[in-house]
Structures are given as structure tokens and as C-alpha cells.
């Protein structure tokens, strides 16, 4: 029995040493210590021994079992460690791999300029108004005091949809729509798309304008000049020179064209300002009483000014863009710069 035990112990310890997986170790444990295991069987056989021998052999069996249990526990632990190490290795994430950047769009320079101008005028108390792009002749021309034979109505400038339906040629019809909807005081700014049959490096058949209108009881030409000076200073920088030249629009009287000192050469004269030192950026004037008549305002007791500017031209000056067509070609390499 002693020999048998010794042999069993050595064989088992050897098997534990050689085993390579948790399953094999489990199998060894069952074969030895399970209900039908070899050591279990030996222990059951203790009863057949002489009473004097029982405690001695019993002790021996216990020590063999303890030794094997210890070896099994150690081998199981090391097999577990190996398993964890292998899993950590295979599930490793390479955090040094560069990420994929999502493609992010940028705002179009025309949108940027519209937003900036609207926010400057919001600070001066002007609300944003809108009107339709397909407009009736009456709003686009008639109510704005364009005489029936005015050249601006000519087919060469205006895209007609039907006889008296057209693509608006300016944002000024929003003046009319606003005045028909509400009574003074009025302070609005109206950004939008306008259309004219014209196309070259500085003209596009579709472009954008921002209209301004202020009507109240005592609005003067001085107010117009003040508002425009604050506006150009904010848009192009403090102390940008501003100049008003007499001009003509059917719907304003008196009318003016507004220039700023050339933002490229600072007024010295260059190619962009055609050596004049000045750049025209908007048209303006005091609302003509004839316009008030069309919207049933009492021209005797109110006064106001209006102005209108082309956005593409301002974007070109602000960002140093030399060809307007760049703004409409949607070349992503160009648009990403803003
Ligand atoms: N509507 C004019 C244009 O398109 C600009 C303008 C607006 C002039 C308001 C005076 C007052 O040229």
C-alpha cells in the first residue's frame, strides 16, 4: 500500500507538471480525487487494514493528497495566468493607430458676410425681414417708382417668369412688403437672393443683396450717414474712410452711392479701386414720398432712409477674392479656406 501510494503520487505529480491546460488538470483531479478516483478508492480500502496500521496509512494518504492538491492548485493558477496573458495579448487595441477624421463642412463666405452684417445691424436695433424671390412687377418696380419705360425693366436685365411675374432684381421689394404689413417705426434688414441677366468676373446672374429700411417720425440724412459709418467701421475696421456721392434711384430722394476707402491699398490707388482710392459698396437715400404713397403712408409726417448692398462684392473685398465666379463654382479647396 505504501508503495502503491508512492507510485500514485509520483505519476500524478509528473502528469501535473506535463499538463498544459485547465481541462487536463481538471481531469487529473477527477481521476484521483473524484468519487471514483484512485485515491478515493485507496481511502475506502483503509477499513480493511489492521486497526494498528490504519492511522499510519491514513496519515500517509492525507499527506499525499495534500501534496497533490497543492501541486494542482499551483498548476491551475499558472494555467489561469497564461490564459489571461494570452487573452490580453489577443484583445490588445493599438491606440497608436491614427484616427479617421470626420469630414467637416465650412460656412460659405457669402453666408459668413450675411451673418456678420445682420449681427452688426441687430446691434443697431434692426430686425431681419424676408420676401419672395419670384416677385410681382408691382413690388419690384411699380411701387418703387420705376416709370413704365425705365431701362431696368428691360428684358436684358430682368428674368421674366410671366408678363408681370419676375425674378426679383433687387431686395428693395421687401421695403414695400414690410411697409404694407406694418406701421412706422420700422427698422429692418432684408438679406436675400436676387437675379439679373449679367455674367462676368464681377457679375453673376444670381447674387445676394442686403436691404435696409428705417422709417420713423424724424429720420434724417444725418441718421443714414451715422448708421452707415458705424456699419462700415465695424465691418471693415475702425476708421475706414466713408464717402457719399450724389446718385439716383427712383425710390429714394436724395440718393447717394456710398464708398469706403480702398481696403486693398488704403486709399493710395491700386488696380482693385481703379486708382481712385475708393470702392463703391452700397446705394442709399431718403425714401421717396412717391413710395409712401404706394403703401398708404402719410408722407407729411414720417421720414426714412433705405440702403442696399451686394454681398458678393463685399465678400470679395473682405477676403481678397478677385473673381466672383469662385464664389459659385463650389470648389471645395477654395471653400475650405473660410
Ligand atoms: N436696390 C438698389 C440696387 O439694387 C440699391 C438701393 C437700395 C438703393 C435701397 C437705394 C436704396 O441697386
Amino acid at each position: 500500500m505504501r508503495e502503491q501510494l508512492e507510485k500514485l503520487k509520483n505519476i500524478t505529480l509528473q502528469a501535473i507538471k506535463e499538463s498544459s491546460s485547465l481541462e487536463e488538470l481538471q481531469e487529473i483531479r477527477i481521476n484521483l480525487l473524484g468519487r471514483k478516483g484512485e485515491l478515493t478508492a485507496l481511502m475506502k480500502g483503509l477499513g480493511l487494514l489492521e486497526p494498528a496500521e490504519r492511522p499510519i496509512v491514513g496519515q500517509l494518504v492525507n499527506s499525499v493528497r495534500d501534496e497533490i492538491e497543492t501541486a494542482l492548485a499551483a498548476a491551475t493558477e499558472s494555467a489561469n495566468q497564461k490564459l489571461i496573458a494570452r487573452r490580453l495579448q489577443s484583445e490588445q487595441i493599438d491606440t497608436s493607430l491614427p484616427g479617421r477624421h470626420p469630414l467637416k463642412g465650412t460656412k460659405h463666405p457669402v453666408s459668413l458676410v450675411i451673418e456678420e452684417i445682420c449681427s452688426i445691424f441687430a446691434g443697431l436695433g434692426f430686425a431681419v425681414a424676408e420676401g419672395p424671390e419670384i416677385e410681382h412687377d408691382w413690388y419690384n418696380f411699380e411701387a418703387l417708382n420705376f416709370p413704365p419705360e425705365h431701362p431696368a425693366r428691360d428684358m436684358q436685365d430682368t428674368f421674366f417668369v410671366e408678363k408681370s411675374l419676375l425674378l426679383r432684381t433687387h431686395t428693395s421689394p421687401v421695403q414695400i412688403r414690410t411697409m404694407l404689413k406694418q406701421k412706422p417705426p420700422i427698422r429692418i434688414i432684408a438679406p436675400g437672393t436676387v437675379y439679373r441677366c449679367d455674367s462676368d468676373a464681377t457679375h453673376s446672374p444670381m447674387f445676394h443683396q442686403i436691404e435696409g429700411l428705417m422709417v420713423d417720425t424724424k429720420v434724417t440724412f444725418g441718421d443714414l450717414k451715422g448708421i452707415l459709418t458705424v456699419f462700415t467701421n465695424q465691418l471693415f475696421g475702425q476708421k475706414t474712410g466713408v464717402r457719399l456721392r450724389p446718385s439716383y434711384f427712383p425710390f429714394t430722394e436724395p440718393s447717394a452711392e456710398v464708398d469706403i476707402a480702398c481696403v486693398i491699398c488704403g486709399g493710395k490707388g491700386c488696380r482693385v479701386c481703379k486708382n481712385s482710392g475708393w470702392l463703391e459698396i452700397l446705394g442709399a437715400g431718403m425714401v421717396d414720398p412717391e413710395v409712401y404713397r404706394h403703401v398708404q403712408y402719410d408722407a407729411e409726417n414720417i421720414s426714412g432712409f433705405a440702403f442696399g448692398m451686394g454681398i458678393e462684392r463685399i465678400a470679395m473685398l473682405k477676403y481678397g477674392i478677385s473673381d466672383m465666379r469662385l464664389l459659385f463654382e463650389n470648389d471645395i479647396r477654395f471653400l475650405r479656406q473660410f
Side-chain angles (χ1 to χ4, degrees):
M1 183 121 184
R2 218 180 273 263
E3 256 169 56
Q4 227 179 323
L5 265 173
E6 192 66 22
K7 209 171 131 198
L8 185 61
K9 185 180 98 177
N10 290 337
I11 289 172
T12 308
L13 288 178
Q14 187 61 30
I16 290 172
K17 219 189 261 170
E18 284 165 7
S19 76
S20 58
S21 72
L22 286 171
E23 290 77 21
E24 277 174 41
L25 289 169
Q26 182 64 7
E27 211 177 297
I28 291 170
R29 177 192 299 278
I30 291 166
N31 287 340
L32 202 70
L33 305 165
R35 238 171 352 112
K36 292 179 185 153
E38 288 180 71
L39 201 62
T40 315
L42 277 176
M43 276 156 89
K44 278 183 191 153
L46 281 178
L48 303 173
L49 295 175
E50 290 295 313
E53 270 193 273
R54 272 183 222 162
I56 304 164
V57 180
Q59 238 172 27
L60 196 62
V61 170
N62 278 345
S63 91
V64 167
R65 197 195 53 206
D66 287 351
E67 211 173 317
I68 290 173
E69 292 260 24
T70 311
L72 268 176
T76 306
E77 170 67 12
S78 108
N80 257 328
Q81 289 299 338
K82 271 190 215 139
L83 198 71
I84 289 169
R86 219 176 316 127
R87 266 184 55 190
L88 283 177
Q89 182 68 35
S90 71
E91 290 173 11
Q92 202 181 46
I93 293 169
D94 181 1
T95 50
S96 69
L97 198 67
R100 277 185 287 269
H101 292 282
L103 285 178
K104 235 196 313 174
T106 52
K107 280 191 182 159
H108 193 280
V110 168
S111 301
L112 287 174
V113 170
I114 290 176
E115 279 175 20
E116 189 175 352
I117 293 176
C118 286
S119 102
I120 292 172
F121 279 102
L124 295 166
F126 286 70
V128 173
E130 280 182 345
E133 287 169 31
I134 298 174
E135 190 55 283
H136 198 281
D137 180 283
W138 190 82
Y139 294 95
N140 197 83
F141 292 130
E142 190 80 30
L144 288 163
N145 193 33
F146 278 82
E149 300 304 322
H150 194 282
R153 297 184 176 216
D154 200 291
M155 289 291 267
Q156 271 142 41
D157 291 315
T158 310
F159 290 114
F160 283 91
V161 179
E162 285 168 15
K163 191 170 174 293
S164 53
L165 215 53
L166 44 83
L167 299 184
R168 66 179 177 191
T169 58
H170 52 178
T171 42
S172 300
V174 184
Q175 288 186 36
I176 303 298
R177 289 183 173 273
T178 306
M179 288 191 278
L180 284 173
K181 262 198 303 241
Q182 63 191 81
K183 297 274 155 250
I186 287 175
R187 277 190 201 210
I188 56 124
I189 197 95
T193 314
V194 300
Y195 304 83
R196 282 180 207 177
C197 193
D198 209 348
S199 185
D200 59 36
T202 52
H203 295 89
S204 157
M206 188 276 297
F207 62 105
H208 298 80
Q209 283 190 336
I210 292 190
E211 191 82 8
L213 175 69
M214 175 167 172
V215 183
D216 208 333
T217 47
K218 288 188 179 100
V219 180
T220 68
F221 201 89
D223 294 322
L224 170 62
K225 206 173 165 185
I227 290 268
L228 292 179
T229 305
V230 169
F231 163 66
T232 50
N233 283 349
Q234 283 200 36
L235 189 64
F236 292 101
Q238 269 327 303
K239 304 242 152 46
T240 305
V242 184
R243 173 175 90 167
L244 276 76
R245 280 179 292 108
S247 184
Y248 174 79
F249 298 103
F251 42 93
T252 47
E253 182 61 34
S255 303
E257 248 149 47
V258 181
D259 298 344
I260 54 164
C262 181
V263 289
I264 311 290
C265 63
K268 284 197 222 55
C270 68
R271 206 169 50 88
V272 176
C273 61
K274 300 200 182 80
N275 278 315
S276 70
W278 295 95
L279 296 165
E280 185 202 322
I281 60 155
L282 57 86
M286 302 308 289
V287 179
D288 194 295
E290 196 54 21
V291 175
Y292 293 137
R293 195 178 62 78
H294 279 101
V295 298
Q296 272 108 49
Y297 271 16
D298 174 10
E300 292 301 317
N301 293 309
I302 49 154
S303 60
F305 61 73
F307 56 85
M309 63 190 110
I311 304 304
E312 279 76 4
R313 181 165 164 75
I314 291 176
M316 287 169 78
L317 294 173
K318 216 173 141 61
Y319 298 118
I321 300 164
S322 57
D323 192 324
M324 192 183 283
R325 287 168 289 208
L326 284 167
L327 292 169
F328 300 107
E329 281 166 356
N330 288 332
D331 185 330
I332 210 117
R333 294 165 301 178
F334 169 77
L335 293 176
R336 274 218 188 105
Q337 299 173 63
F338 302 94

